[in-house]
Amino acid sequence: MYDVVVIGSGPGGYIAAIRAAQLDMKVACVERYPTFGGTCLNVGCIPSKALLESSERFVEANEKFEAHGIDIGEVSLNFGQMQNHKEEVVSGLVNGVKYLFDKNEVDGIHGWGRIADENTVEVTDDDGEVQQTLETKNIIIATGSKPLELPGAEFDKECIVDSTGALEFEDVPDHLVVIGAGVIGLELGSVYSRLGADVTVLEYMPEILGGRMDSDVARQAQRIFKKQGLEFVLEAEVTGAEVDDGTVVTTYNHDGEEKTIESDKLLVGIGRRPFTDNLGLENIGLETNDGGFIEVNDHFETDVDGVYAIGDVIPGPMLAHLAEHEGVVCVERINGIAGHVNYDAVPDVVYTHPELASVGKTEAELKEAGVDYKVGKFPYKANGRARAIGDTEGFTKILADAETDEILGAHIIGNQAGDLIAELAVAMEFASSSEDIARSSHAHPTLAEIVKEAALDVSDRTLNL
Ligand code: FAD
Ligand code: NAI
């Protein structure tokens, strides 16, 4: 009898399994794919970041070394090797999860996990034949999400692809059309634009990233991406796409007219849906909500005793580090350890260049909630390290309560924004004030000084501007 069976080995599931093992639980983690690590390690965060890093190096070699006095002559692209590098990074990390399971004595089992009842998970093959039956006291559902398909523009996996397909192109397309100026569209659109493709992004909303980032950041990001070569058609509703002899013809409504655009590849990045196929939820009478998500309470308990859910399959942002955090808290609660997830202090990063990073409330959200706030802002161009790097676009913006000075939100666009936001997430977790950051020593010369100066600006006392 297991103490807990985790279904799904993404960042939510594998981390929950390891934490459970640390707490002396007997634990199994069932994964339907041949490797562990879920969307994030296999077809998500990691391969996309490998291609983002490599393609950015290509841009640096082509456009940025010269200013640093490094002449390297003509630069050429070896896309096959770039893809090999990505594969090596992925295989190293998925093998790392297997190693961690062995080290922590987690039983990693391959097959579909199907819930037979509250205390039984059947492991089946792809045909639904039961291979193994696991008895357990608790079940954690961590089955993640899948790309949404746009009706009328169904994936053919050749010309019309999801993010997984776009990570696996064998050649750089001449023209890539992307549906959705969300995170996937901007990250993968950037990769192929950097490598020489013409990239056109069709977005339904009037702004990129649909309110996910502070508008100041989204607007500046759009200007920068445009300079980099990405073309945006906003307020464009895509209604369908057809493939004709290797050319994709995408139809969209824009400015009151129906228009078409041709490309050799179409990436559909319009969001993801929770994945509960073949999970056997009907066997325990557990229903999903209208969006297909499994509802849980603050302790990640579903409506069925002993059955929990975490990660992309529950409502909320779809982020790997959030899934991990939920996995840890869920297992600790099962063991009677106090804990919760503070959703206001979860950072969100878009790994374009420059990076975009956010934690807490946006200015629009504070306005809508009628909160009185102060703003502190500091530009990269006034920072010595940013100048030495030669990358001075962007700023940090801190929003603090007008009365208490508590930090309510922070937003960064610029080099290493994803790392800089960590300090502000920790600050928010500890309910810090902007004064706390302003009075803390930040090493010189670092980009982190931009955060300190933005905190000083909340009370109008920047020192270097
Ligand atoms: P998943 O990682 O989706 O894992 C679920 C696992 O469960 C899968 O392996 C699946 O095969 C398995 N499974 C499903 N059903 C069953 C079953 N019945 N039996 C057995 N196994 C089953 N997030 C970030 O924070 N940062 C990023 O940079 C980032 N980049 C991304 C880039 C891309 C291209 C994509 C697509 C996503 C990205 N994400 C990123 C989102 C991130 O990948 C997800 O939020 C995260 O993987 C969710 O973790 P999870 O454990 O809930 O689910
Ligand atoms: P998304 O929700 O971020 O963006 C989808 C975009 O598509 C929206 O802006 C929406 O308005 C637009 N759209 C929808 N239907 C449309 C239509 N018919 N025509 C035109 N535009 C349309 O979803 P995305 O980019 O697919 O990402 C999925 C999830 O994966 C996100 O929730 C994200 O959290 C996660 N992810 C996270 C990353 C990160 O943390 N860096 C990187 C990549 C993905």
Side-chain angles (χ1 to χ4, degrees):
M1 168 78 87
Y2 284 101
D3 292 310
V4 60
V5 170
V6 182
I7 307 179
S9 73
Y14 92 77
I15 290 291
I18 290 172
R19 184 70 189 119
Q22 286 175 344
L23 292 167
D24 289 331
M25 297 179 99
K26 186 171 161 48
V27 50
C29 183
V30 186
E31 169 56 56
R32 74 192 177 97
Y33 283 141
T35 51
F36 298 116
T39 303
C40 173
L41 271 61
N42 289 282
V43 292
C45 325
I46 297 302
S48 60
K49 263 79 265 177
L51 288 182
L52 278 156
E53 286 294 345
S54 300
S55 58
E56 186 55 21
R57 297 283 179 284
F58 183 63
V59 172
E60 282 174 2
N62 258 320
E63 298 171 13
K64 301 187 180 169
F65 282 1
E66 206 182 338
H68 288 271
I70 306 167
D71 293 323
I72 50 171
E74 201 178 322
V75 176
S76 62
L77 175 67
N78 181 345
F79 188 56
Q81 175 52 28
M82 204 175 269
Q83 289 286 27
N84 289 343
H85 169 72
K86 178 202 77 182
E87 294 303 330
E88 278 167 25
V89 174
V90 168
S91 70
L93 287 171
V94 296
N95 290 335
V97 177
K98 167 91 180 77
Y99 160 82
L100 289 171
F101 277 178
D102 292 344
K103 180 180 155 205
N104 287 283
E105 296 179 12
V106 171
D107 290 341
I109 300 170
H110 289 288
W112 286 84
R114 185 171 67 198
I115 301 173
D117 63 43
E118 288 84 333
N119 298 108
T120 314
V121 174
E122 292 170 340
V123 182
T124 76
D125 61 17
D126 288 344
D127 300 323
E129 293 296 320
V130 178
Q131 308 291 312
Q132 219 175 325
T133 300
L134 313 174
E135 301 298 328
T136 181
K137 292 179 193 155
N138 300 286
I139 296 171
I140 299 178
I141 300 169
T143 49
S145 62
K146 284 268 155 222
L148 273 172
E149 195 156 35
L150 184 69
E154 283 78 16
F155 302 124
D156 68 358
K157 298 197 174 176
E158 188 57 46
C159 295
I160 305 179
V161 297
D162 59 14
S163 52
T164 303
L167 288 166
E168 285 163 5
F169 287 155
E170 284 173 11
D171 299 299
V172 177
D174 290 330
H175 186 193
L176 172 67
V177 167
V178 180
I179 312 179
V183 207
I184 286 180
L186 294 176
E187 289 188 353
L188 293 178
S190 291
V191 165
Y192 289 105
S193 164
R194 291 169 189 172
L195 300 180
D198 289 331
V199 177
T200 310
V201 185
L202 307 173
E203 167 58 49
Y204 183 70
M205 305 286 279
E207 185 174 284
I208 66 169
L209 290 161
R212 182 183 186 124
M213 291 280 150
D214 193 88
S215 283
D216 261 359
V217 167
R219 276 196 298 268
Q220 176 149 0
Q222 194 187 330
R223 277 197 296 274
I224 295 173
F225 298 153
K226 208 170 155 202
K227 267 196 284 170
Q228 291 172 354
L230 285 158
E231 195 188 327
F232 292 97
V233 186
L234 300 179
E235 298 184 75
E237 186 199 4
V238 177
T239 50
E242 275 175 16
V243 181
D244 183 14
D245 200 18
T247 300
V248 194
V249 183
T250 303
T251 308
Y252 62 100
N253 295 318
H254 183 242
D255 269 349
E257 278 178 51
E258 188 176 270
K259 299 182 180 173
T260 57
I261 184 167
E262 290 188 3
S263 61
D264 40 345
K265 300 281 182 192
L266 174 68
L267 162 60
V268 183
I270 58 166
R272 295 177 61 85
R273 66 170 175 92
F275 185 73
T276 54
D277 299 6
N278 304 333
L279 187 57
L281 293 183
E282 63 287 356
N283 297 332
I284 50 171
L286 187 56
E287 291 191 358
T288 55
N289 70 14
D290 289 345
F293 293 94
I294 300 176
E295 296 277 356
V296 291
N297 64 15
D298 289 351
H299 304 165
F300 306 101
E301 291 166 322
T302 67
D303 287 342
V304 179
D305 273 358
V307 179
Y308 303 78
I310 56 167
D312 281 10
V313 79
I314 66 170
M318 291 183 171
L319 295 170
H321 46 284
L322 178 59
E324 289 183 14
H325 197 160
E326 289 171 346
V328 168
V329 171
C330 173
V331 167
E332 291 182 349
R333 298 284 330 185
I334 294 174
N335 285 273
I337 301 169
H340 72 289
V341 174
N342 176 1
Y343 286 89
D344 267 339
V346 176
D348 187 3
V349 178
V350 183
Y351 297 86
T352 45
H353 194 95
E355 289 180 352
L356 323 177
S358 163
V359 62
K361 302 282 186 241
T362 63
E363 215 173 329
E365 284 169 339
L366 292 180
K367 276 194 185 124
E368 198 181 317
V371 176
D372 206 5
Y373 62 92
K374 299 176 287 182
V375 183
K377 212 168 167 183
F378 194 80
Y380 272 63
K381 68 174 185 294
N383 172 271
R385 186 64 178 277
R387 284 182 171 256
I389 296 168
D391 199 357
T392 52
E393 274 178 317
F395 59 82
T396 290
K397 169 170 162 181
I398 294 178
L399 305 168
D401 188 284
E403 201 179 323
T404 65
D405 193 35
E406 181 177 346
I407 300 172
L408 304 174
H411 308 280
I412 311 179
I413 172 170
N415 194 318
Q416 304 295 331
D419 288 291
L420 297 183
I421 204 75
E423 170 182 2
L424 291 152
V426 173
M428 288 188 67
E429 193 67 69
F430 284 86
S432 303
S433 61
S434 73
E435 187 70 9
D436 290 328
I437 302 253
R439 292 209 174 269
S440 302
S441 186
H442 289 65
H444 177 73
T446 59
L447 296 176
E449 289 172 291
I450 300 170
V451 173
K452 175 176 174 166
E453 290 275 6
L456 283 164
D457 190 48
V458 172
S459 50
D460 291 328
R461 30 194 255 269
T462 48
L463 297 164
N464 284 288
L465 192 65

